[in-house]
Amino acid sequence: MNTITRTEQKQLTRQKLIEATFEVIAAEGFSGVTMAKVAQCADLSRGIGNFHFQTKEQLLLETLHALYREFENAWRSAIANAGPAPIDQLTDLIKRILEPPIADPKKVAVWMAYWGETPSRKTYMELCEMHDREWEAAVEKILRSMVSVDFNPHGMKLHAIAESLIAMMDGFWLEYLLAPDRFKPQDAIKACFAFLSSFFPDFQQSDKDI
Amino acid sequence: MNTITRTEQKQLTRQKLIEATFEVIAAEGFSGVTMAKVAQCADLSRGIGNFHFQTKEQLLLETLHALYREFENAWRSAIANAGPAPIDQLTDLIKRILEPPIADPKKVAVWMAYWGETPSRKTYMELCEMHDREWEAAVEKILRSMVSVDFNPHGMKLHAIAESLIAMMDGFWLEYLLAPDRFKPQDAIKACFAFLSSFFPDFQQSDKDI
Amino acid sequence: MNTITRTEQKQLTRQKLIEATFEVIAAEGFSGVTMAKVAQCADLSRGIGNFHFQTKEQLLLETLHALYREFENAWRSAIANAGPAPIDQLTDLIKRILEPPIADPKKVAVWMAYWGETPSRKTYMELCEMHDREWEAAVEKILRSMVSVDFNPHGMKLHAIAESLIAMMDGFWLEYLLAPDRFKPQDAIKACFAFLSSFFPDFQQSDKDI
Amino acid sequence: MNTITRTEQKQLTRQKLIEATFEVIAAEGFSGVTMAKVAQCADLSRGIGNFHFQTKEQLLLETLHALYREFENAWRSAIANAGPAPIDQLTDLIKRILEPPIADPKKVAVWMAYWGETPSRKTYMELCEMHDREWEAAVEKILRSMVSVDFNPHGMKLHAIAESLIAMMDGFWLEYLLAPDRFKPQDAIKACFAFLSSFFPDFQQSDKDI
DNA sequence: GATGAATGAGCCTTCATTCAT
DNA sequence: GATGAATGAAGGCTCATTCAT
């Protein structure tokens, strides 16, 4: 019991530091992150960050891990809770990705901050690729269950359609970030449906549901 | 004559520094930029960056300016050279944005690097918004010339469609960055056309042209 | 009985810490000593060093004490066990100092580490002077018993001869440290005898004994 | 001319930093060395040390280099200036090593500080071995020129005698450091001569000269 | 105009020390 | 007594910026 409390406390502190890192990135950008600021934001002392994560880089990496984990949980649960119909799964997935709390200004800002550093950091790149693969596979799997084998409208393979849908959602996040006042989740969702409707006629009808 | 040479020399050095900044960002990310690296990359002396741009921030800002200027030139010339038909203008615009040299791994990496810092820097935000406004207006203008006034398919206004198209193209850039091997300009262009075809029937046919 | 066990336990832990300090100095030099490394080397917990010795400085000082104590025991027992003849005492003393386990690479390294810090630390200096005085007095006492009062060969007083012998032995330790492969205890001992033989003819003969 | 001045200035600053490092080691020991203290001692700004030597370790290493260089110059010039007679060369050599400015409390303290760290630092060890090899060879060469080939008194080879003489001088330095008030250069020199006199009868006479 | 040595603020990191458990 | 998480001071190092040459 004594031991458990200590271990729990440690986990709690780590969690606080990761959340503080998130907040600092959101507020000051990637280049504005300082171990001191993180500690202060977490209401802890100077050395604690290095104590728990050894290096700043490690702390940043674990924060990115946490971000991906949350994102993955979101889409997995959206699919799991949407019922068996693929069209419902896809609909719910899109909504989940493009509405709060996933599409949230702070969160998107942090995503962007990491992505901006990704091409020049191997560790980020690898993490990113790993998660993207799973994410893309999940989307493609739903699409595949909606059509016959030799489906190829607009000369695009299913794979490319999935990629494009993902690109579109990422693009809306970016828009959310760079022009938050012009961005409306409803329109973003509609646009995704419109895109899909040119491949899958069923989506024509679902437009009203939004 | 002597004076002219001096002024030209000055401009040349400034240009070299901006290009070097671009290269360093592409190679090492935004957080990897130092005045020393930029100077070295430009094959110039240490203090030269501050000499010409006063501060690092100023150099970074002017580099972003140059980036936007190039981008704007690209889409303006695409529209200008496409002929009078809106559909041709839009087609060429999309191709211009999603093909080299505009959609280039290095260039996109630099865009991302700036965007990652944008939400936390007012100057970047303002610059970004200003350019985006013009860019969005140009796209919307073309779309508007293609349809009647009360156009409202999928419950989306023309404005939102333009935004969505832009978001889509930005999303493909992002994809280009994070998964360069899976990204194919052809598919990205097709996807944009597919998206537009669900609003503008004319695009159905243009699919073959790509 | 319980109390005794506790006290013993405490002594044991202190001893382990001192030994660990010794090991860490030998392995990483004086500047490489940290409380954490010492604790880890002793297979104990982080805070234990300060718990038993209050400060790092105190732990280092007590380790030096232990080192001197061991050294003193060595030469005292060498003298005590050598029989009554001064020449035998001196012979055994020299051998004891210049052969393992006293002349041991690790041990000498630790001596050097402390000596390197000695001139800038009053506490070490005092400890060092105190022990050296006794050590020098013991050597001088043996020498004195070997000669008549007005002994003054080479213009050197007995006192200076004792000092020189000690310096010589210290010098061999140093050599052991800086050129361990070239150092041979046998030669070092012979050299000491050669030095003494130029003051005390008796040593001429003892050369063969080594 | 302009360039020369700049280069000279740079060399001067480097020199000042090395001397300051020397002073700080002498005053506060190896573990008391701080880049800030060195800079302050040299009357320069904080970052200058790293600017010229990259790392603290590098600065310490170059300081050791300078120390060895000075030492080597001392014994080489002593030999060169002593005339052709080996006994004169050896005599002058010993005097040079055991008298100021070479045998100087500060300088010896710095030597000791480095030696204390030597066993745990490969770079120091290598530097040390390299110089020692030359130093020992020079001493041995003089000794060799004083005797016939099959010289082997006290069962010691010439090589071992040279080593022993060096060990003796090192030991006196150590004594100088740990018991400066008891150390007298005159006695140290006499002791060396006494040691040598037991191998080389010629040294018997030279005792008076000191 | 250009250079690069010098400055000094600020950051990451280490580490002795404390103290709640 | 022992543990190890937490603290906070201090050090090495980087880097934007300045300025004498």
Side-chain angles (χ1 to χ4, degrees):
Chain A
M1 169 111 188
N2 203 333
T3 308
I4 292 176
T5 301
R6 274 234 177 151
T7 309
E8 284 174 353
Q9 181 59 39
K10 189 169 180 174
Q11 273 309 314
L12 217 71
T13 303
R14 283 178 64 96
Q15 192 54 36
K16 264 170 77 179
L17 284 166
I18 285 176
E19 274 161 28
T21 304
F22 176 89
E23 294 294 332
V24 173
I25 296 177
E28 317 218 21
F30 204 88
S31 69
V33 178
T34 284
M35 292 304 271
K37 282 184 200 164
V38 169
Q40 191 179 20
C41 177
D43 210 29
L44 290 166
S45 68
R46 285 267 163 91
I48 201 71
N50 289 97
F51 181 76
H52 284 288
F53 298 94
Q54 287 76 55
T55 66
K56 181 187 182 183
E57 197 42 50
Q58 193 59 30
L59 172 57
L60 287 169
L61 193 58
E62 300 234 8
T63 303
L64 182 56
H65 264 295
L67 206 58
Y68 267 118
R69 221 177 296 126
E70 186 194 10
F71 178 70
E72 191 171 331
N73 286 340
W75 62 258
R76 283 199 194 283
S77 80
I79 294 173
N81 297 332
I87 197 167
D88 292 339
Q89 290 180 1
L90 202 49
T91 304
D92 285 13
L93 195 63
I94 292 168
K95 287 183 182 171
R96 186 69 75 89
I97 299 304
L98 292 174
E99 286 174 347
I102 297 300
D104 161 90
K106 249 191 213 176
K107 212 153 279 173
V108 172
V110 176
W111 277 118
M112 288 300 306
Y114 276 105
W115 285 341
E117 289 291 317
T118 293
S120 53
R121 303 216 193 181
K122 210 161 169 265
T123 40
Y124 294 4
M125 203 63 176
E126 284 166 0
L127 190 57
C128 179
E129 276 169 356
M130 196 187 73
H131 279 274
D132 277 10
R133 227 181 331 262
E134 289 186 36
W135 169 220
E136 198 274 335
V139 172
E140 192 180 339
K141 187 183 163 194
I142 299 176
L143 294 184
R144 192 169 305 282
S145 66
M146 294 172 72
V147 296
S148 59
V149 174
D150 55 350
F151 183 74
N152 194 28
H154 298 278
M156 286 179 78
K157 297 198 175 157
L158 215 57
H159 169 77
I161 299 172
E163 296 270 14
S164 298
L165 178 59
I166 288 172
M168 209 168 172
M169 292 188 288
D170 287 349
F172 280 119
W173 274 15
L174 202 56
E175 183 120 319
Y176 199 2
L177 189 77
L178 302 179
D181 45 328
R182 276 181 301 176
F183 175 85
K184 296 211 178 70
Q186 294 312 323
D187 283 336
I189 294 167
K190 279 182 200 161
C192 289
F193 287 177
F195 170 68
L196 290 171
S197 74
S198 75
F199 301 100
F200 311 96
D202 298 349
F203 267 95
Q204 303 274 5
Q205 306 158 343
S206 72
D207 282 4
K208 306 158 208 150
D209 307 343
I210 309 171
Chain B
M1 169 103 189
N2 201 336
T3 308
I4 291 174
T5 301
R6 275 221 173 173
T7 308
E8 284 174 351
Q9 180 59 37
K10 191 170 179 176
Q11 273 310 314
L12 216 70
T13 304
R14 285 177 64 94
Q15 191 53 36
K16 263 169 83 178
L17 283 167
I18 285 177
E19 272 161 29
T21 305
F22 176 89
E23 293 294 332
V24 173
I25 296 178
E28 317 217 22
F30 203 88
S31 68
V33 178
T34 69
M35 294 303 270
K37 279 185 201 162
V38 169
Q40 190 179 20
C41 178
D43 213 28
L44 293 167
S45 69
R46 276 258 166 95
I48 199 76
N50 288 96
F51 186 79
H52 282 286
F53 296 92
Q54 288 77 52
T55 68
K56 180 188 182 183
E57 199 40 52
Q58 194 58 31
L59 172 56
L60 287 169
L61 194 58
E62 301 233 12
T63 303
L64 183 54
H65 265 297
L67 207 57
Y68 267 117
R69 219 176 299 126
E70 185 195 11
F71 178 71
E72 193 173 328
N73 286 341
W75 62 258
R76 284 202 194 281
S77 82
I79 294 173
N81 298 333
I87 196 166
D88 291 339
Q89 290 181 0
L90 202 49
T91 302
D92 285 12
L93 195 64
I94 291 168
K95 286 182 183 171
R96 186 69 75 90
I97 300 304
L98 293 174
E99 285 173 346
I102 298 300
D104 160 270
K106 250 193 212 174
K107 214 155 278 177
V108 172
V110 176
W111 276 118
M112 289 299 307
Y114 275 104
W115 285 342
E117 289 292 316
T118 293
S120 53
R121 303 216 193 183
K122 208 156 169 269
T123 39
Y124 294 4
M125 202 65 175
E126 284 166 2
L127 190 57
C128 178
E129 276 169 357
M130 196 187 75
H131 279 275
D132 276 10
R133 228 180 333 263
E134 289 185 37
W135 168 222
E136 198 274 336
V139 172
E140 194 179 339
K141 186 183 165 195
I142 300 176
L143 293 183
R144 192 168 305 283
S145 67
M146 293 172 73
V147 295
S148 60
V149 174
D150 56 350
F151 183 74
N152 194 26
H154 298 279
M156 287 179 77
K157 297 197 173 155
L158 216 55
H159 169 76
I161 298 171
E163 296 271 13
S164 298
L165 178 59
I166 289 172
M168 210 168 173
M169 292 189 289
D170 286 350
F172 280 119
W173 275 14
L174 199 57
E175 184 122 317
Y176 199 4
L177 189 76
L178 302 180
D181 44 328
R182 276 181 303 177
F183 175 85
K184 294 208 178 72
Q186 294 311 322
D187 284 334
I189 293 167
K190 280 181 199 164
C192 289
F193 287 177
F195 170 68
L196 290 171
S197 75
S198 74
F199 301 100
F200 312 97
D202 297 350
F203 268 95
Q204 303 274 7
Q205 305 159 343
S206 73
D207 283 3
K208 304 161 209 146
D209 306 346
I210 310 172
Chain C
M1 169 107 186
N2 201 335
T3 307
I4 292 173
T5 302
R6 276 222 173 168
T7 308
E8 285 174 352
Q9 180 59 36
K10 190 169 177 173
Q11 274 310 313
L12 216 71
T13 304
R14 285 177 65 95
Q15 191 53 35
K16 264 168 80 178
L17 282 166
I18 286 175
E19 273 162 28
T21 304
F22 175 89
E23 293 294 332
V24 173
I25 296 177
E28 318 217 20
F30 203 87
S31 68
V33 178
T34 70
M35 294 302 269
K37 279 185 200 162
V38 170
Q40 189 179 20
C41 177
D43 212 28
L44 292 167
S45 69
R46 277 257 165 97
I48 200 75
N50 288 93
F51 186 79
H52 282 287
F53 296 94
Q54 290 78 51
T55 68
K56 181 186 181 184
E57 198 41 53
Q58 193 58 29
L59 171 58
L60 286 169
L61 194 58
E62 300 233 12
T63 303
L64 183 54
H65 265 295
L67 206 58
Y68 267 118
R69 219 175 299 128
E70 185 194 12
F71 178 71
E72 191 171 331
N73 285 342
W75 61 258
R76 285 203 194 280
S77 82
I79 295 173
N81 298 332
I87 196 168
D88 291 338
Q89 290 180 1
L90 202 51
T91 303
D92 286 11
L93 195 63
I94 291 168
K95 287 182 182 172
R96 185 68 74 92
I97 299 304
L98 292 175
E99 285 174 346
I102 296 302
D104 160 90
K106 249 192 214 177
K107 211 154 279 176
V108 172
V110 176
W111 276 118
M112 288 301 306
Y114 275 105
W115 285 341
E117 289 291 315
T118 294
S120 54
R121 303 214 193 183
K122 210 159 170 263
T123 41
Y124 293 4
M125 203 66 176
E126 284 166 1
L127 189 59
C128 178
E129 275 168 357
M130 195 186 75
H131 279 275
D132 276 10
R133 223 175 342 258
E134 289 186 37
W135 167 225
E136 198 275 335
V139 171
E140 192 178 342
K141 187 182 164 196
I142 300 175
L143 293 183
R144 191 167 306 283
S145 68
M146 293 172 73
V147 296
S148 59
V149 173
D150 56 351
F151 183 73
N152 193 27
H154 297 278
M156 286 180 76
K157 299 204 172 149
L158 215 54
H159 168 77
I161 299 172
E163 295 270 13
S164 298
L165 178 60
I166 288 173
M168 209 168 174
M169 291 189 289
D170 287 348
F172 279 120
W173 274 15
L174 201 55
E175 181 122 321
Y176 199 2
L177 189 76
L178 302 180
D181 46 327
R182 276 183 301 180
F183 175 85
K184 295 214 178 67
Q186 294 311 322
D187 283 335
I189 294 167
K190 280 181 198 163
C192 290
F193 288 178
F195 170 68
L196 290 171
S197 75
S198 75
F199 301 99
F200 311 98
D202 297 349
F203 268 95
Q204 304 274 8
Q205 304 158 345
S206 73
D207 282 2
K208 304 160 209 147
D209 305 345
I210 308 172
Chain D
M1 167 110 188
N2 201 335
T3 307
I4 293 175
T5 302
R6 273 234 178 151
T7 308
E8 283 175 351
Q9 181 58 36
K10 188 169 181 173
Q11 274 309 313
L12 218 70
T13 303
R14 284 177 63 96
Q15 193 53 37
K16 264 170 80 179
L17 283 166
I18 286 176
E19 272 161 28
T21 304
F22 176 89
E23 293 295 331
V24 173
I25 296 177
E28 318 218 23
F30 204 88
S31 68
V33 178
T34 284
M35 293 304 272
K37 281 184 199 164
V38 169
Q40 191 179 19
C41 178
D43 211 29
L44 289 166
S45 68
R46 286 265 163 90
I48 201 72
N50 290 99
F51 181 79
H52 283 287
F53 298 94
Q54 289 76 53
T55 66
K56 180 186 181 185
E57 197 42 49
Q58 194 58 29
L59 172 57
L60 287 168
L61 193 58
E62 299 234 11
T63 304
L64 182 55
H65 265 295
L67 206 59
Y68 267 117
R69 220 175 298 128
E70 185 194 11
F71 177 72
E72 191 172 330
N73 285 341
W75 62 257
R76 283 200 193 282
S77 81
I79 295 173
N81 298 332
I87 197 165
D88 291 338
Q89 290 180 1
L90 202 52
T91 302
D92 285 12
L93 194 63
I94 291 168
K95 286 183 183 171
R96 185 69 74 92
I97 299 304
L98 293 174
E99 283 174 346
I102 297 300
D104 160 88
K106 249 193 215 177
K107 212 154 278 176
V108 171
V110 176
W111 277 117
M112 288 300 306
Y114 276 105
W115 286 341
E117 289 290 318
T118 294
S120 52
R121 304 215 193 182
K122 206 157 172 270
T123 39
Y124 293 6
M125 202 66 176
E126 284 166 1
L127 189 58
C128 178
E129 275 169 358
M130 195 187 75
H131 278 275
D132 276 11
R133 228 183 329 264
E134 289 186 37
W135 169 221
E136 200 272 336
V139 172
E140 192 178 340
K141 187 183 166 197
I142 300 175
L143 294 183
R144 193 169 304 281
S145 68
M146 294 173 72
V147 296
S148 60
V149 173
D150 57 348
F151 182 74
N152 193 28
H154 297 279
M156 286 180 78
K157 299 197 172 157
L158 215 55
H159 169 77
I161 298 171
E163 296 270 12
S164 297
L165 177 60
I166 288 173
M168 208 168 174
M169 292 189 288
D170 287 348
F172 279 119
W173 274 15
L174 200 57
E175 183 122 319
Y176 198 4
L177 188 76
L178 302 179
D181 47 326
R182 277 181 301 178
F183 174 86
K184 295 212 177 68
Q186 294 311 322
D187 283 337
I189 294 165
K190 280 182 199 162
C192 289
F193 287 177
F195 169 69
L196 289 170
S197 74
S198 76
F199 301 99
F200 311 97
D202 296 351
F203 268 94
Q204 305 274 6
Q205 305 158 344
S206 73
D207 284 2
K208 303 161 208 145
D209 307 343
I210 310 174

